[in-house]
Amino acid sequence: MRKLLSGLVLSLALVTGVLLVAPPPATAAATTTLTLSPTSVVAGGTTAVAVRSSFTPLAGDFRLQELRAGRWVSARELPSYRNYGFELAAGSTPGTRTFRVAAKADSRTWVHSRAVTLTVRSATSTALTTTTPQVARGGTVQLAARSTFLPDAGSFKLQEKRGSTWATVASLPSYKNYGFTHPAGDTDGVRTFRTVATAGGTWVGSSWVSVTVGTPATPPSDEIAAARDRIVADTNAARARQGLPALAQLSGITTVAQGWAETMAANRRMEHNPSYASQMPRGWTRAAENVAYGYGVSAVVAAWMDSPGHRANILGDFTHIGVGVARGSDGRLYYVQNFGRY
C-alpha cells in the first residue's frame, strides 16, 4: 500500500511540474516600436528616430539594429528607457537602409520591433523661386531655377500643375543657374510651377512655387489673430477634458501653418502640406497636421474631434502647436493645425 501511494504522489508531482513550466514568460507579450520621420531623406541629412516600449528593457540590452548583408548588426546602443528619441544621420550613400529595435525583456527573452526602411535620396536637387508671388493680370512672373548638378541636355523643363497633372510649359537651357520670365496670363487665380531635370537619367524635381494672378480677398489681421486664439483655446480645452496638458504656441510652427492655410485659400483646395515636417523648427521628435475648410471658427475643432484621425492628433503626445487661418476668394475659411513634440 505504501508503494502505491508513493507512486501516486510521484505521478502527481510530475504532472504538476509540467503545468508549471508550460506557460510562456509574461514578458514575451511585451512590445517595442520604432518610427522614423521622415522615412525619405536626402544624402547627408538626418531623420528623427522615436523608440517606444511597453516595458523597461534591461540595461545594456536595448539597441538599434541595421540589416547589413542579410544580418542584423547593432548600429547604436540605447539607454534602457521606455520612450526615447534622437536624430540619426542618413549617410552619404543613396539607397535604402533597414532598421529595427532589439530589447531584452528578461534574462532570456528578446523582443524586436517591426523593421522600418529609410530611403536615402541623391543629394542632387533643383530649386525654383520667384520674386513675384503676386502679379497683375497680363503681367510677367519672374522665376529663378537652380540646381546642384548640370542637367542632361534637353531635360531641364518648367512645368505647371493643371488639375492633377503637370504640363511642361517651357524648355530651359541646361544651366545650373537660370533666371527667366513667364507670362502671368489674363485670368485671376493661382498658378503653380516646378522645374524638373535629369541627372544621368534620374529625374529630379523642385519644390512647388505658387503665383497669385490678380488680388484675392484677404481677411483683416485681427480676424486671423482671433481665429487662431479660439482654435488653440478649443484644442487645449479638448485636451483638458482628457486630462492632457495644454499645448504651447510656437511661432515657427505658426509660420508653417499660416503659410499653408494661405496656399490652400489661394488654390481654393484643401490638401495636406507635403513638406510641413521639413519646414517646422528642428528638434521635434513627433509631428502631425490637421487641415479643414468651410467650417465656422467656433465649430472647426469640434469637427476635427468627430474624426478619429484628427482627434488622435489633437489628443496626441505633443507639446507645441501652430495654427493657420486664411479666407479664400470663395469666402470660405481654410484651417491648418501643426503639432510638434519638443
Side-chain angles (χ1 to χ4, degrees):
M1 184 66 179
R2 185 174 299 170
K3 291 180 179 179
L4 290 172
L5 289 173
S6 298
L8 179 60
V9 172
L10 178 60
S11 297
L12 289 172
L14 288 172
V15 173
T16 302
V18 171
L19 292 174
L20 286 173
V21 299
T27 51
T31 59
T32 63
T33 61
L34 169 68
T35 57
L36 304 178
S37 182
T39 56
S40 179
V41 182
V42 69
T46 61
T47 185
V49 178
V51 178
R52 303 288 183 264
S53 69
S54 61
F55 64 97
T56 301
L58 296 181
D61 288 319
F62 197 25
R63 61 198 62 169
L64 180 71
Q65 295 181 324
E66 183 173 4
L67 187 62
R68 298 175 184 171
R71 295 181 55 203
W72 288 102
V73 178
S74 180
R76 180 166 178 166
E77 296 291 330
L78 307 177
S80 56
Y81 305 150
R82 293 182 59 181
N83 302 308
Y84 184 60
F86 57 94
E87 283 201 345
L88 177 71
S92 59
T93 304
T96 58
R97 302 177 65 184
T98 303
F99 299 93
R100 73 178 184 184
V101 171
K104 212 168 188 180
D106 58 32
S107 61
R108 63 185 183 279
T109 305
W110 282 92
V111 178
H112 302 98
S113 72
R114 289 185 178 181
V116 178
T117 298
L118 175 69
T119 300
V120 183
R121 307 190 308 274
S122 171
T124 57
S125 65
T126 66
L128 180 67
T129 58
T130 180
T131 57
T132 53
Q134 184 168 329
V135 296
R137 284 180 292 174
T140 56
V141 180
Q142 302 291 328
L143 297 167
R146 302 286 184 267
S147 71
T148 60
F149 62 97
L150 187 62
D152 297 338
S155 74
F156 201 17
K157 304 179 185 300
L158 176 70
Q159 294 185 328
E160 182 176 3
K161 192 171 187 183
R162 296 175 179 173
S164 60
T165 62
W166 288 95
T168 297
V169 295
S171 293
L172 308 177
S174 56
Y175 305 148
K176 292 181 66 175
N177 302 305
Y178 183 62
F180 57 99
T181 62
H182 191 74
D186 297 321
T187 304
D188 285 353
V190 176
R191 302 185 64 182
T192 302
F193 301 95
R194 74 175 183 183
T195 53
V196 294
T198 60
T202 301
W203 282 100
V204 180
S206 73
S207 56
W208 306 359
V209 167
S210 292
V211 176
T212 300
V213 180
T215 307
T218 303
S221 58
D222 57 345
E223 179 187 358
I224 293 296
R228 283 177 179 165
D229 290 345
R230 174 62 186 267
I231 291 170
V232 171
D234 287 352
T235 298
N236 282 331
R239 290 175 61 86
R241 287 192 291 271
Q242 301 298 320
L244 299 172
L247 302 176
Q249 293 189 70
L250 187 62
S251 61
I253 302 180
T254 299
T255 299
V256 175
Q258 184 62 36
W260 189 248
E262 292 173 0
T263 296
M264 290 196 303
N267 292 333
R268 292 186 294 180
R269 183 174 63 236
M270 185 186 73
E271 58 187 347
H272 279 287
N273 179 355
S275 304
Y276 77 87
S278 62
Q279 294 170 354
M280 286 174 53
R282 291 177 60 85
W284 56 266
T285 58
R286 185 174 181 177
E289 178 182 77
N290 284 344
V291 297
Y293 83 109
Y295 293 94
V297 175
S298 62
V300 65
V301 173
W304 277 323
M305 288 294 288
D306 284 339
S307 166
H310 299 95
R311 176 188 177 90
N313 287 338
I314 289 175
L315 303 182
D317 183 21
F318 300 107
T319 56
H320 292 79
I321 188 174
V323 172
V325 182
R327 188 183 297 279
S329 59
D330 55 4
R332 292 176 172 176
L333 286 172
Y334 292 77
Y335 304 96
V336 179
Q337 285 180 314
N338 284 124
F339 304 89
R341 177 168 181 81
Y342 289 85

